[in-house]
mmCIF file of all heavy atoms in Angstrom:
data_model
loop_
_atom_site.group_PDB
_atom_site.id
_atom_site.type_symbol
_atom_site.label_atom_id
_atom_site.label_comp_id
_atom_site.label_asym_id
_atom_site.label_seq_id
_atom_site.Cartn_x
_atom_site.Cartn_y
_atom_site.Cartn_z
ATOM 1 N N GLY A 120 14.759 1.793 17.796
ATOM 2 C CA GLY A 120 15.838 2.567 18.681
ATOM 3 C C GLY A 120 15.867 1.966 20.035
ATOM 4 O O GLY A 120 16.708 2.478 20.831
ATOM 5 N N GLU A 121 15.049 1.045 20.452
ATOM 6 C CA GLU A 121 15.080 0.403 21.771
ATOM 7 C C GLU A 121 16.384 -0.394 21.931
ATOM 8 O O GLU A 121 16.675 -1.144 21.082
ATOM 9 C CB GLU A 121 13.939 -0.659 21.894
ATOM 10 C CG GLU A 121 12.531 0.062 21.905
ATOM 11 C CD GLU A 121 11.451 -0.945 21.817
ATOM 12 O OE1 GLU A 121 11.130 -1.618 22.800
ATOM 13 O OE2 GLU A 121 10.830 -1.096 20.710
ATOM 14 N N GLU A 122 16.985 -0.083 23.120
ATOM 15 C CA GLU A 122 18.211 -0.647 23.376
ATOM 16 C C GLU A 122 18.267 -2.302 23.319
ATOM 17 O O GLU A 122 19.085 -2.949 22.657
ATOM 18 C CB GLU A 122 18.767 -0.330 24.771
ATOM 19 C CG GLU A 122 19.429 0.935 24.877
ATOM 20 C CD GLU A 122 20.489 1.217 23.906
ATOM 21 O OE1 GLU A 122 21.347 0.272 23.577
ATOM 22 O OE2 GLU A 122 20.724 2.326 23.358
ATOM 23 N N GLY A 123 17.047 -2.890 23.833
ATOM 24 C CA GLY A 123 17.032 -4.218 23.820
ATOM 25 C C GLY A 123 17.026 -4.893 22.417
ATOM 26 O O GLY A 123 17.611 -5.883 22.095
ATOM 27 N N LYS A 124 16.219 -4.281 21.500
ATOM 28 C CA LYS A 124 16.074 -4.619 20.046
ATOM 29 C C LYS A 124 17.436 -4.490 19.409
ATOM 30 O O LYS A 124 17.891 -5.379 18.680
ATOM 31 C CB LYS A 124 15.020 -3.731 19.476
ATOM 32 C CG LYS A 124 13.619 -4.120 19.743
ATOM 33 C CD LYS A 124 13.206 -5.351 18.941
ATOM 34 C CE LYS A 124 11.887 -5.984 19.505
ATOM 35 N NZ LYS A 124 10.728 -5.062 19.368
ATOM 36 N N LEU A 125 18.246 -3.361 19.603
ATOM 37 C CA LEU A 125 19.436 -3.123 18.952
ATOM 38 C C LEU A 125 20.326 -4.292 19.355
ATOM 39 O O LEU A 125 21.044 -4.817 18.518
ATOM 40 C CB LEU A 125 20.008 -1.704 19.350
ATOM 41 C CG LEU A 125 19.188 -0.555 18.849
ATOM 42 C CD1 LEU A 125 19.558 0.745 19.538
ATOM 43 C CD2 LEU A 125 19.475 -0.359 17.335
ATOM 44 N N ARG A 126 20.451 -4.555 20.564
ATOM 45 C CA ARG A 126 21.279 -5.552 21.171
ATOM 46 C C ARG A 126 21.029 -6.836 20.704
ATOM 47 O O ARG A 126 21.964 -7.719 20.209
ATOM 48 C CB ARG A 126 21.199 -5.528 22.780
ATOM 49 C CG ARG A 126 22.163 -6.449 23.495
ATOM 50 C CD ARG A 126 21.743 -6.651 24.875
ATOM 51 N NE ARG A 126 20.337 -7.100 24.843
ATOM 52 C CZ ARG A 126 19.396 -6.763 25.782
ATOM 53 N NH1 ARG A 126 19.607 -5.750 26.714
ATOM 54 N NH2 ARG A 126 18.168 -7.383 25.872
ATOM 55 N N ASP A 127 19.702 -7.302 20.510
ATOM 56 C CA ASP A 127 19.344 -8.721 20.244
ATOM 57 C C ASP A 127 19.424 -8.922 18.699
ATOM 58 O O ASP A 127 19.686 -10.001 18.274
ATOM 59 C CB ASP A 127 18.054 -8.985 20.795
ATOM 60 C CG ASP A 127 17.973 -9.114 22.294
ATOM 61 O OD1 ASP A 127 18.972 -9.221 22.909
ATOM 62 O OD2 ASP A 127 16.815 -8.962 22.907
ATOM 63 N N ILE A 128 19.035 -7.872 17.968
ATOM 64 C CA ILE A 128 18.716 -8.190 16.517
ATOM 65 C C ILE A 128 19.911 -7.827 15.584
ATOM 66 O O ILE A 128 20.188 -8.535 14.665
ATOM 67 C CB ILE A 128 17.464 -7.317 16.108
ATOM 68 C CG1 ILE A 128 16.219 -8.109 16.831
ATOM 69 C CG2 ILE A 128 17.258 -7.342 14.567
ATOM 70 C CD1 ILE A 128 15.019 -7.396 16.720
ATOM 71 N N LEU A 129 20.590 -6.738 15.883
ATOM 72 C CA LEU A 129 21.684 -6.332 14.984
ATOM 73 C C LEU A 129 22.722 -7.500 14.832
ATOM 74 O O LEU A 129 23.184 -7.730 13.687
ATOM 75 C CB LEU A 129 22.412 -5.014 15.397
ATOM 76 C CG LEU A 129 21.435 -3.764 15.237
ATOM 77 C CD1 LEU A 129 22.169 -2.559 15.694
ATOM 78 C CD2 LEU A 129 20.817 -3.565 13.796
ATOM 79 N N PRO A 130 23.087 -8.113 15.922
ATOM 80 C CA PRO A 130 24.257 -9.171 15.639
ATOM 81 C C PRO A 130 23.832 -10.351 14.780
ATOM 82 O O PRO A 130 24.518 -10.795 13.917
ATOM 83 C CB PRO A 130 24.494 -9.708 17.096
ATOM 84 C CG PRO A 130 24.045 -8.632 17.991
ATOM 85 C CD PRO A 130 22.995 -7.884 17.341
ATOM 86 N N VAL A 131 22.504 -10.790 14.904
ATOM 87 C CA VAL A 131 22.020 -11.919 14.018
ATOM 88 C C VAL A 131 21.809 -11.350 12.487
ATOM 89 O O VAL A 131 22.148 -12.158 11.593
ATOM 90 C CB VAL A 131 20.717 -12.517 14.538
ATOM 91 C CG1 VAL A 131 21.017 -13.384 15.812
ATOM 92 C CG2 VAL A 131 19.576 -11.563 14.791
ATOM 93 N N VAL A 132 21.516 -10.165 12.428
ATOM 94 C CA VAL A 132 21.441 -9.698 10.973
ATOM 95 C C VAL A 132 22.743 -9.692 10.370
ATOM 96 O O VAL A 132 22.963 -10.081 9.216
ATOM 97 C CB VAL A 132 20.862 -8.181 11.033
ATOM 98 C CG1 VAL A 132 20.975 -7.566 9.593
ATOM 99 C CG2 VAL A 132 19.298 -8.302 11.479
ATOM 100 N N LYS A 133 23.826 -9.200 11.153
ATOM 101 C CA LYS A 133 25.248 -9.149 10.683
ATOM 102 C C LYS A 133 25.664 -10.485 10.384
ATOM 103 O O LYS A 133 26.295 -10.811 9.398
ATOM 104 C CB LYS A 133 26.026 -8.431 11.753
ATOM 105 C CG LYS A 133 27.474 -8.711 11.727
ATOM 106 C CD LYS A 133 28.108 -8.183 10.467
ATOM 107 C CE LYS A 133 29.510 -8.597 10.319
ATOM 108 N NZ LYS A 133 30.048 -8.425 8.935
ATOM 109 N N ASP A 134 25.456 -11.479 11.295
ATOM 110 C CA ASP A 134 25.937 -12.867 11.123
ATOM 111 C C ASP A 134 25.467 -13.483 9.798
ATOM 112 O O ASP A 134 26.172 -14.275 9.175
ATOM 113 C CB ASP A 134 25.624 -13.754 12.333
ATOM 114 C CG ASP A 134 26.424 -13.501 13.473
ATOM 115 O OD1 ASP A 134 27.472 -12.669 13.361
ATOM 116 O OD2 ASP A 134 26.188 -13.933 14.550
ATOM 117 N N ARG A 135 24.195 -13.175 9.572
ATOM 118 C CA ARG A 135 23.539 -13.820 8.452
ATOM 119 C C ARG A 135 23.743 -13.028 7.061
ATOM 120 O O ARG A 135 23.335 -13.386 6.062
ATOM 121 C CB ARG A 135 22.081 -13.905 8.787
ATOM 122 C CG ARG A 135 21.144 -14.566 7.709
ATOM 123 C CD ARG A 135 21.551 -15.968 7.353
ATOM 124 N NE ARG A 135 20.679 -16.527 6.296
ATOM 125 C CZ ARG A 135 20.831 -16.106 5.069
ATOM 126 N NH1 ARG A 135 21.708 -15.260 4.691
ATOM 127 N NH2 ARG A 135 20.020 -16.564 4.126
ATOM 128 N N GLY A 136 24.394 -11.801 7.188
ATOM 129 C CA GLY A 136 24.471 -10.850 6.048
ATOM 130 C C GLY A 136 23.178 -10.490 5.522
ATOM 131 O O GLY A 136 22.940 -10.323 4.250
ATOM 132 N N ALA A 137 22.131 -10.301 6.322
ATOM 133 C CA ALA A 137 20.840 -9.822 5.914
ATOM 134 C C ALA A 137 20.753 -8.411 5.850
ATOM 135 O O ALA A 137 21.701 -7.620 6.234
ATOM 136 C CB ALA A 137 19.798 -10.373 6.815
ATOM 137 N N ALA A 138 19.673 -7.808 5.430
ATOM 138 C CA ALA A 138 19.281 -6.304 5.558
ATOM 139 C C ALA A 138 18.293 -6.187 6.612
ATOM 140 O O ALA A 138 17.562 -7.164 7.053
ATOM 141 C CB ALA A 138 18.811 -5.810 4.131
ATOM 142 N N VAL A 139 18.179 -5.047 7.066
ATOM 143 C CA VAL A 139 17.155 -4.707 8.216
ATOM 144 C C VAL A 139 16.424 -3.414 8.129
ATOM 145 O O VAL A 139 16.892 -2.512 7.545
ATOM 146 C CB VAL A 139 17.967 -4.851 9.458
ATOM 147 C CG1 VAL A 139 18.892 -3.677 9.720
ATOM 148 C CG2 VAL A 139 16.956 -4.809 10.816
ATOM 149 N N ILE A 140 15.126 -3.497 8.532
ATOM 150 C CA ILE A 140 14.303 -2.343 8.529
ATOM 151 C C ILE A 140 14.436 -1.680 10.017
ATOM 152 O O ILE A 140 14.327 -2.387 11.053
ATOM 153 C CB ILE A 140 12.873 -2.553 8.299
ATOM 154 C CG1 ILE A 140 12.603 -3.040 6.877
ATOM 155 C CG2 ILE A 140 11.968 -1.345 8.583
ATOM 156 C CD1 ILE A 140 11.195 -3.473 6.544
ATOM 157 N N GLY A 141 14.747 -0.443 10.057
ATOM 158 C CA GLY A 141 14.886 0.265 11.312
ATOM 159 C C GLY A 141 13.636 1.269 11.561
ATOM 160 O O GLY A 141 13.425 2.202 10.838
ATOM 161 N N LEU A 142 12.826 0.892 12.571
ATOM 162 C CA LEU A 142 11.627 1.698 12.915
ATOM 163 C C LEU A 142 12.078 2.984 13.810
ATOM 164 O O LEU A 142 12.777 2.808 14.663
ATOM 165 C CB LEU A 142 10.556 0.992 13.588
ATOM 166 C CG LEU A 142 10.099 -0.306 13.185
ATOM 167 C CD1 LEU A 142 9.054 -0.993 14.052
ATOM 168 C CD2 LEU A 142 9.460 -0.158 11.770
ATOM 169 N N THR A 143 11.584 4.210 13.271
ATOM 170 C CA THR A 143 11.880 5.394 14.076
ATOM 171 C C THR A 143 10.944 5.552 15.327
ATOM 172 O O THR A 143 10.273 6.449 15.541
ATOM 173 C CB THR A 143 11.807 6.643 13.290
ATOM 174 O OG1 THR A 143 10.403 6.732 12.888
ATOM 175 C CG2 THR A 143 12.680 6.579 12.004
ATOM 176 N N MET A 144 11.280 4.554 16.256
ATOM 177 C CA MET A 144 10.537 4.640 17.618
ATOM 178 C C MET A 144 11.529 3.945 18.596
ATOM 179 O O MET A 144 12.483 3.233 18.286
ATOM 180 C CB MET A 144 9.253 3.723 17.532
ATOM 181 C CG MET A 144 9.449 2.343 17.246
ATOM 182 S SD MET A 144 7.785 1.570 17.299
ATOM 183 C CE MET A 144 7.464 1.517 18.949
ATOM 184 N N ASP A 145 11.225 4.262 19.849
ATOM 185 C CA ASP A 145 12.077 3.603 20.948
ATOM 186 C C ASP A 145 11.323 3.406 22.270
ATOM 187 O O ASP A 145 10.031 3.297 22.032
ATOM 188 C CB ASP A 145 13.322 4.533 21.265
ATOM 189 C CG ASP A 145 12.963 5.954 21.636
ATOM 190 O OD1 ASP A 145 11.805 6.094 22.161
ATOM 191 O OD2 ASP A 145 13.753 6.931 21.643
ATOM 192 N N ASN A 146 11.879 3.164 23.326
ATOM 193 C CA ASN A 146 11.115 2.715 24.553
ATOM 194 C C ASN A 146 9.975 3.852 24.856
ATOM 195 O O ASN A 146 8.961 3.433 25.371
ATOM 196 C CB ASN A 146 12.026 2.751 25.700
ATOM 197 C CG ASN A 146 13.221 1.799 25.465
ATOM 198 O OD1 ASN A 146 13.988 2.049 24.611
ATOM 199 N ND2 ASN A 146 13.328 0.831 26.090
#
Side-chain angles (χ1 to χ4, degrees):
E121 292 168 74
E122 284 302 325
K124 284 280 167 65
L125 292 163
R126 182 194 62 220
D127 292 343
I128 290 169
L129 293 179
V131 288
V132 169
K133 159 65 187 164
D134 284 349
R135 181 59 184 73
V139 65
I140 296 177
L142 306 179
T143 59
M144 61 180 289
D145 59 19
N146 306 61

